[in-house]
Amino acid sequence: MRCPYCRHPDSRVVDSREADDGALIRRRRACPECGRRFTTVEEAILAIVKRSGVTEPFSRIKVMTGVRKACQGRPVDEDAIALLAQRVEEAVRARGAAEVPSHEVGLAILGPLRELDEVAYLRFASVYRAFDSLEDFEKEITELRSRHLPAGTPPLPGLPPELPAVRRRGAVRAPSS
């Protein structure tokens, strides 16, 4: 690493520390020529390879923009969208590849978006998977319905489907015999 003070082409690493939950590495360096110290920050860049072959850095903001469009008019707040984008970035980075096809980013969005809002999921999936007929929508809706109970309410995690999921306040119980 070149010294920013005297432009000497070499420097010695004095200390290294992780920052930002391991996403960055801060290195304290010393120049053997002038003796001054300086800090460098290193970040692993995640590159997205688009269908055209063009490579660009991963952008959480682009993920949020796409999800926000799908959620337009839906009861989804900005914090939920930001959390979804963070989950997508973590999932993509967890693959461990320096370059990831844009198709995999889209797949990483679909799962969390389905959990967040099924209508927004259907909107996003229709664009992402290029639905071109009513049958495509019907197939996806059928798949979404198959994940729900016959009454149309999703089961609560950890409860068998036959148990009541919600007990209403003020509900009258039948007398026990």
Side-chain angles (χ1 to χ4, degrees):
M1 174 63 68
R2 185 177 299 276
C3 174
Y5 303 109
C6 70
R7 310 299 293 161
H8 188 267
D10 198 18
S11 63
R12 181 175 57 92
V13 175
V14 178
D15 183 37
S16 292
R17 295 182 185 189
E18 285 187 2
D20 210 14
D21 292 329
L24 302 173
I25 299 175
R26 299 175 72 86
R27 297 196 194 279
R28 193 73 181 139
R29 296 176 176 268
C31 176
E33 187 70 25
C34 67
R36 296 178 82 176
R37 292 183 171 213
F38 57 97
T39 302
T40 58
V41 179
E42 299 172 18
E43 178 180 21
I45 296 175
L46 178 62
I48 304 301
V49 181
K50 301 187 126 195
R51 284 184 224 159
S52 65
V54 174
T55 303
E56 64 180 44
F58 177 85
S59 170
R60 191 183 292 188
I61 292 170
K62 282 184 82 170
V63 171
M64 289 176 64
T65 301
V67 170
R68 193 177 294 118
K69 285 178 186 173
C71 293
Q72 191 171 0
R74 301 293 304 156
V76 178
D77 64 349
E78 273 301 307
D79 290 341
I81 293 173
L83 186 61
L84 182 142
Q86 179 181 349
R87 286 177 59 193
V88 168
E89 182 175 3
E90 288 170 357
V92 171
R93 285 191 184 276
R95 290 189 166 99
E99 291 185 345
V100 177
S102 59
H103 176 74
E104 289 186 26
V105 176
L107 290 176
I109 292 171
L110 287 174
L113 187 55
R114 182 186 296 131
E115 294 170 14
L116 181 65
D117 187 279
E118 289 179 338
V119 173
Y121 163 79
L122 195 58
R123 289 175 179 171
F124 189 88
S126 70
V127 173
Y128 178 70
R129 293 184 178 156
F131 289 3
D132 55 4
S133 69
L134 189 56
E135 287 78 26
D136 293 337
F137 281 95
E138 288 173 342
K139 180 181 169 193
E140 197 64 40
I141 290 170
T142 302
E143 186 179 318
L144 285 171
R145 283 187 176 145
S146 71
R147 297 173 176 266
H148 291 276
L149 291 174
T153 56
L156 291 174
L159 286 180
E162 65 274 0
L163 292 178
V166 178
R167 180 156 181 242
R168 307 236 187 276
R169 226 182 253 171
V172 179
R173 286 180 145 177
S176 57
S177 336

